[in-house]
Amino acid sequence: MSNGAMPKPGESDRADAPRHVAIIMDGNGRWAAARGLPRAEGHRRGVDALRKVVRASHELGISYLTIFSFSSENWSRPASEIGDLFGLLRRFIRNDLATLHADGVRVRVIGERDGLESDICALLNEAEELTRNNTRLTLVVAFNYGSRQEIANAAQRLAREVAEGKRDPATITTDTLGSYLDAPDIPDPDLIIRTSGEQRLSNFLMWQAAYSELVFVPIHWPDFDKAALESAIAEYATRERRFGGLVAKTGS
Ligand code: FPP
């Protein structure tokens, strides 16, 4: 997710459609609190919203959808809430994998696998393996993910190659480092959406977001739907992307 590869056959070439949309699904807790419901109910309704948005994404011609499902910082939440989130991931994969596969969705997972329970790792591997040849939409699940950790891991691998005499430090470019990130074959996000009104990246895709357009929407994640996605894309379509140059360019 770093080299801005050209569209491949089957990928969207619509001028105004972002090829890769990444979403920070925020506001589940506040959605629940506003209704006097437990936070777990907010997360459960968040999974319902996710299902709708995955479907809407392939209907809208998006080729890659990345979702921030569990951040490295989420470990600081109460154990019961962490248990709820892991339970939802288990159920999402067990219940939805067959449908995702039938719909042509390829699942990829980014983030740290070390330290995750073995059944979670097995489910993540199963989702990736089963769907590896699907081409309609790539769903990148950022789970136990933090951008600084991802970059540090890449730096560590490169440092090891230098220490072993396999690499000259002068050969390390931004493309090299990018190719050591978790999903180097996935193009950078064109559009990053954050729900709930918060306006920050919170350690999400910080390398890959260098030239992403950011759209912040005031609604909480459980209320996000196809219409909200279309409206974020319409906002994206008004932006002029110059990638540091002087003239507008089309995405990646
Ligand atoms: C933010 O809401 C959301 C999360 C921490 C996790 C997002 C998870 C889901 C949508 C459900 C799980 C999906 C999968 C595939 C596992 P928040 O709790 O930070 O809300 P708040 O800021 O209002 O408290």
Side-chain angles (χ1 to χ4, degrees), residues 25-30 39 43 47 50 69 74 77 89 221:
M25 309 181 289
D26 197 10
N28 295 346
R30 279 163 284 166
R39 291 178 61 82
H43 294 314
V47 177
L50 173 60
S69 307
N74 287 152
R77 295 189 177 205
L89 179 74
W221 175 250

Side-chain angles (χ1 to χ4, degrees), residues 23-33 39-40 42-50 67-71 74 77 81 84-93 139 141-143 194-196 198 200 220-222:
I23 307 185
I24 302 175
M25 309 181 289
D26 197 10
N28 295 346
R30 279 163 284 166
W31 181 93
R39 291 178 61 82
H43 294 314
R44 204 184 60 72
R45 294 291 292 266
V47 177
D48 293 342
L50 173 60
I67 50 158
F68 205 3
S69 307
F70 189 84
S71 82
N74 287 152
R77 295 189 177 205
E81 181 161 346
D84 291 338
L85 287 166
F86 277 64
L88 283 172
L89 179 74
R90 285 187 178 92
R91 250 168 285 147
F92 179 68
I93 296 180
L139 174 65
V141 180
F143 195 81
R194 183 172 188 147
T195 58
S196 91
E198 307 291 348
R200 55 181 171 271
H220 295 316
W221 175 250

